[in-house]
Amino acid sequence: MSGSSRGVALGVLLFAGALATTAEAATDPGWTVDVGVFTRVRPDHLGSDRYTFDLLPIVSARWGDHLTASLDDGLKLTALTRGAWSFGPVVEYRQSYNDRLTRGAYRMPDAIEVGGFAKTRTALGDVELRLRKATDGYDGWSGDLSFDTGAQVTPRWTVGGEARLSWADDDFSREYFGLRRRQRETLNLPTFRQNDFVSLGFELDAQRRLGQRTAFVATLSGDRIVGEAWESPLLRTRNVLTAGVGVTYRFGRAEPALGD
């Protein structure tokens, strides 16, 4: 199955799951399920200086502080809490951009990544560490260290921000940037090598309530590829920028009504 087909299939699967939980969400005040559509501008591929538009489904579900699921943040289950700390498993979907690749470049498929997280709450926001192993695709390890914060600035507007350090081992960079294919090691531990992929990034999010169940959402994300200067025809720029807007509808617990 191609990467785009797998992305659509995953979106349909999560959308079906969200609809399946709607009945429970309507009776359980701890459940919320947001569905919608999102238009995005993104690079043709990682390292490209040309951009394209695409249309994505928005699927996001939450059950109190125990379980969250979305297309962009994956499935996260809080299995253990100790004071301000929480721990548990995560499953994420990594989409691979493959538009207008250089002739002969390797078309890397999307990947499902399985791992765990540790998060602590601070007065200013949440600090979270994730470590994951790809079960297919590049078949390597990846991780993120992030700081997330946000606030409701008016009765209708909520804003948020994230700063992050992202890493993927050289199984990712060698396959994606076509440096050199190597024999995969399905059962291996995380290792740090010269050609690992490292990036520093940020994300800004905003949401405006349109009603008790509808909202307008917008996001701007930027990453800077740092580290090894690979000799790859795909790496025309080290800046990775994405932006988009969308609308959502909420099932389950509705927001309080706004006064006139």
Side-chain angles (χ1 to χ4, degrees):
M1 182 182 292
S2 68
S4 60
S5 298
R6 292 175 59 179
V8 172
L10 181 65
V12 171
L13 178 62
L14 288 180
F15 182 75
L19 293 181
T21 60
T22 300
E24 183 175 0
T27 58
D28 184 348
W31 271 103
T32 59
V33 178
D34 295 303
V35 297
V37 65
F38 187 79
T39 182
R40 176 183 64 174
V41 57
R42 60 159 177 85
D44 287 348
H45 56 79
L46 196 61
S48 174
D49 55 3
R50 298 186 299 180
Y51 287 78
T52 189
F53 286 90
D54 58 13
L55 196 65
L56 298 174
I58 297 176
V59 182
S60 178
R62 173 179 292 273
W63 180 37
D65 294 328
H66 306 289
L67 179 67
T68 60
S70 68
L71 285 176
D72 59 339
D73 198 45
L75 176 68
K76 182 170 75 172
L77 173 65
T78 299
L80 177 66
T81 57
R82 287 291 184 270
W85 287 88
S86 58
F87 308 87
V90 294
V91 179
E92 293 189 29
Y93 175 72
R94 183 187 291 268
Q95 183 182 10
S96 179
Y97 306 151
N98 289 306
D99 296 307
R100 292 190 285 190
L101 289 172
T102 301
R103 183 183 299 273
Y106 176 62
R107 182 175 294 271
M108 192 173 77
D110 299 349
I112 302 297
E113 302 176 341
V114 179
F117 78 92
K119 183 177 74 173
T120 184
R121 297 183 181 274
T122 72
L124 299 178
D126 297 339
V127 178
E128 183 173 304
L129 176 66
R130 294 190 181 192
L131 182 64
R132 305 171 300 272
K133 176 70 166 66
T135 61
D136 56 358
Y138 69 98
D139 202 36
W141 288 87
S142 66
D144 302 279
L145 177 63
S146 63
F147 171 76
D148 292 272
T149 188
Q152 184 170 335
V153 294
T154 73
R156 288 187 181 272
W157 281 98
T158 302
V159 298
E162 178 184 82
R164 57 178 175 258
L165 169 65
S166 301
W167 164 83
D169 66 16
D170 69 347
D171 285 334
F172 175 85
S173 54
R174 287 174 186 272
E175 284 212 2
Y176 200 102
F177 291 102
L179 299 180
R180 184 171 68 251
R181 300 297 305 280
R182 52 182 268 163
Q183 184 177 0
R184 295 181 178 181
E185 302 173 20
T186 303
L187 299 177
N188 63 336
L189 296 176
T191 56
F192 299 93
R193 299 187 178 96
Q194 183 180 10
N195 284 321
D196 288 358
F197 177 86
V198 181
S199 65
L200 293 170
F202 74 91
E203 184 173 314
L204 300 175
D205 301 293
Q207 175 180 289
R208 187 183 191 277
R209 287 182 56 192
L210 304 177
Q212 287 185 270
R213 296 188 179 275
T214 55
F216 165 83
V217 294
T219 183
L220 172 65
S221 175
D223 291 271
R224 173 72 176 178
I225 301 172
V226 298
E228 185 70 19
W230 310 294
E231 295 180 1
S232 171
L234 295 183
L235 192 62
R236 297 183 178 274
T237 177
R238 290 178 173 269
N239 298 317
V240 184
L241 300 174
T242 62
V245 295
V247 291
T248 64
Y249 182 87
R250 171 163 293 183
F251 297 94
R253 185 184 66 245
E255 295 286 350
L258 291 170
D260 297 331

